[in-house]
Amino acid sequence: MVAESGGPEDQKPQSDEARSAFAPPAGTMQPVSPPEEDHPTSEFALPTGVQAESAQSGAGGSSGGSSNSDTLTSAFTPPSTYRAQQSPPAFTPAQGIPMVKLTKEAPWQDRMRTMLRMPVTERPAAESIQRTDDDTGPAVPRVLDLTLRIGELLLAGGEGAEDVEAAMFAVTRSYGLDRSEPTVTFTLLSISHQPSLVDDPVTASRTVRRRGTDYTRLAAVFRLVDDITSEDTEVSLEEAYRRLAEIRRNRHPYPGWVLTAAAGLLAGSASVLVGGGVLVFLVAAAGAMLGDRLAWLCAGRGLPEFYQFTVAAMPPAAMGVALTLTHSTDIRPSAVITGGLFALLPGRALVAGVQDGLTGYYITASARLLEVMYFFIGIVAGVLIILYLGLQLGAELNPEARFTPYNEPVVQILASMALSLAFAVLLQQERSTVLAVTLNGGVAWIVFGAMARTGQISPVAATAVAAGLVGLFGQLFSRYRFHSSLPYITAAIGPLLPGSATYFGLLGVAQNELDTGLASLSTAVATALAIAIGVNLGSEISRLFMGLPGAVGGASRRAAKRTRGF
């Protein structure tokens, strides 16, 4: 018997397969309310008769009467106009997101430094520069791997932790990964990317096992990051990998014999700075070159750097003790030993360690400073062994015989410039940067000599001011060339290193005059800290005068990491 009501069941077949367990039996009255449609709907579906607005319609436009009830949707389904490269922010804070003006004319280092110092909730969404072929977004694992490899080269080359994080952040944002967080420590790099609040994060890490001094390679990596972050240059992932492989394969710009000659020139120039003559120059250069060759021999046998520094410090000290045993009055043994110490003091690692500490990266700073301490102890051990042997042989080493005043300023300035030139070669800098860093080192020595010798100001204070100028000029040079500031700073601080204070402190300890020796070593430590703090302060001052990106409306520039310890 067929139901008399004109419901939708009149058109359906009466087979058993068409009925469900909830179908009313034949012969009963059907409910008055309309039955459930064939397609289920969610609680977010629009009621029947209400027209949904089209996401692509113009102002005031609407769709042609289609209902959202025809499609199975979810609260987490992205809209039809969603693009992986232009994804919306994860959330909006209650106070809103302040408008941030990222000046395109500013180098990527300054733009990314500004972004890193912002809270996560205030960072603007990424403006994707390097596009992909489709709309599926970039290959996240490959972008993270490329970012880690770039960060590894920068950190292994001696770059500061904040600049390494800025470079990693710039690469990920350029490829559309805006919600990424890099982390840099002394030997470990890691980066995490979370597409949204409901997606699983992707994390990758890389360990830095080998370190090397090659500022040419460092400059090439900076150029690669600059091209990746530039809107005018198309750098795909494959192209970035190819250029990175070329950077790794490139040989050093200077052969080994040039590096050995540069070590001799550095030691000889340093001996002239402390009052030595032509013969002292030659003897100090010979001792430094012999120490450099011995250090290369130890490195080839796999000995740690601690023993390499210990062995390299012995030949200059032995040269000085040998000159003392000859009872020659024309040669100053102290100048020979001091010149050899100048070529070994780890000024590069010291500046990087103090810079990381001042910018809030305390773990990396502690590790760098601990490395500097080990290098310094190795130098102390090598010099003390030779000094003890010299005292046993009857060498008359007088810690009270200080250096003569600087009566020839022109010679001193030329020696300081030659020292900076040799230091730049040892750091494997590009030939185009050698002249600038040489002039920067000469300016540093002029300022130090004018304040400490002519003005009778404290040598530590004079060193800090001279190092501040080095940092200021180095930052200006780097911004002009869009390079790292290290090639323009590290070699220029060479003439300011505390070689003489270190020697007299070690001599006092060797002769059991601990008060005099420890006081001189304290002066050396204070001078080294003055160099590092002065370089960092000069760099920060330079950024105050440059048009850096920041919040619109004249908001104050953010400090690094923490403020006043809170």
Side-chain angles (χ1 to χ4, degrees), residues 195-217:
S196 66
L197 295 178
V198 296
D199 291 328
D200 295 331
V202 180
T203 303
S205 61
R206 194 172 183 87
T207 302
V208 180
R209 303 187 184 277
R210 293 181 60 86
R211 299 178 182 274
T213 304
D214 191 342
Y215 282 179
T216 300
R217 179 179 297 175

Side-chain angles (χ1 to χ4, degrees), residues 77-418:
T77 302
S80 59
T81 57
Y82 177 82
R83 293 293 184 270
Q85 295 176 335
Q86 299 176 352
S87 56
F91 58 90
T92 302
Q95 69 275 13
I97 299 178
M99 184 173 62
V100 178
K101 180 182 179 182
L102 295 179
T103 308
K104 296 299 182 183
E105 291 77 12
W108 63 265
Q109 302 100 300
D110 298 326
R111 299 200 309 268
M112 294 303 109
R113 187 189 296 264
T114 301
M115 296 290 295
L116 285 174
R117 294 184 179 183
M118 286 183 184
V120 178
T121 58
E122 298 182 11
R123 293 176 183 172
E127 300 176 3
S128 300
I129 296 174
Q130 304 300 334
R131 306 289 182 178
T132 55
D133 296 334
D134 49 19
D135 293 335
T136 60
V140 175
R142 287 182 61 80
V143 172
L144 298 185
D145 180 72
L146 174 67
T147 302
L148 290 174
R149 291 177 183 273
I150 290 177
E152 178 190 10
L153 284 181
L154 293 177
L155 187 62
E159 192 63 63
E162 188 175 29
D163 290 330
V164 176
E165 278 196 5
M168 296 172 65
F169 198 63
V171 174
T172 54
R173 287 182 65 87
S174 296
Y175 286 107
L177 307 184
D178 55 329
R179 283 181 287 274
S180 60
E181 287 295 331
T183 303
V184 176
T185 59
F186 186 59
T187 58
L188 181 64
L189 297 169
S190 64
I191 187 167
S192 177
H193 169 69
Q194 188 172 13
S196 66
L197 295 178
V198 296
D199 291 328
D200 295 331
V202 180
T203 303
S205 61
R206 194 172 183 87
T207 302
V208 180
R209 303 187 184 277
R210 293 181 60 86
R211 299 178 182 274
T213 304
D214 191 342
Y215 282 179
T216 300
R217 179 179 297 175
L218 192 69
V221 177
F222 263 72
R223 283 193 294 269
L224 174 59
V225 177
D226 184 59
D227 291 340
I228 291 176
T229 56
S230 175
E231 294 181 344
D232 302 329
T233 307
E234 284 288 339
V235 182
S236 63
L237 282 175
E238 298 302 326
E239 176 68 15
Y241 268 107
R242 184 189 64 79
R243 291 180 56 179
L244 195 62
E246 290 180 354
I247 292 173
R248 286 181 174 273
R249 286 195 302 264
N250 282 345
R251 301 182 62 182
H252 298 307
Y254 308 104
W257 67 269
V258 174
L259 298 180
T260 302
L265 177 61
L266 193 155
S269 302
S271 65
V272 174
L273 286 180
V274 293
V278 177
L279 187 56
V280 170
F281 177 92
L282 296 177
V283 175
M289 288 189 290
L290 179 58
D292 181 77
R293 286 293 91 190
L294 290 177
W296 276 99
L297 181 62
C298 294
R301 297 295 184 269
L303 289 178
E305 283 187 302
F306 176 86
Y307 301 105
Q308 296 176 27
F309 274 85
T310 302
V311 172
M314 289 183 176
M319 291 281 189
V321 171
L323 291 176
T324 303
L325 294 175
T326 60
H327 302 285
S328 176
T329 59
D330 298 332
I331 300 178
R332 295 180 177 273
S334 56
V336 175
I337 300 176
T338 300
L341 292 177
F342 265 89
L344 297 175
L345 293 178
R348 174 180 59 89
L350 175 66
V351 171
V354 175
Q355 180 181 359
D356 288 342
L358 294 176
T359 52
Y361 294 83
Y362 300 112
I363 297 178
T364 306
S366 301
R368 288 186 189 271
L369 294 178
L370 184 62
E371 181 187 44
V372 171
M373 185 188 71
Y374 272 106
F375 290 162
F376 188 77
I377 292 176
I379 297 171
V380 168
V383 174
L384 282 180
I385 290 174
I386 300 301
L387 291 181
Y388 275 121
L389 292 177
L391 292 176
Q392 296 299 322
L393 295 175
E396 298 178 359
L397 299 172
N398 185 11
E400 301 298 331
R402 298 292 174 174
F403 302 121
T404 58
Y406 302 91
N407 297 324
E408 299 179 356
V410 176
V411 176
Q412 302 293 327
I413 294 173
L414 294 177
S416 65
M417 296 176 65

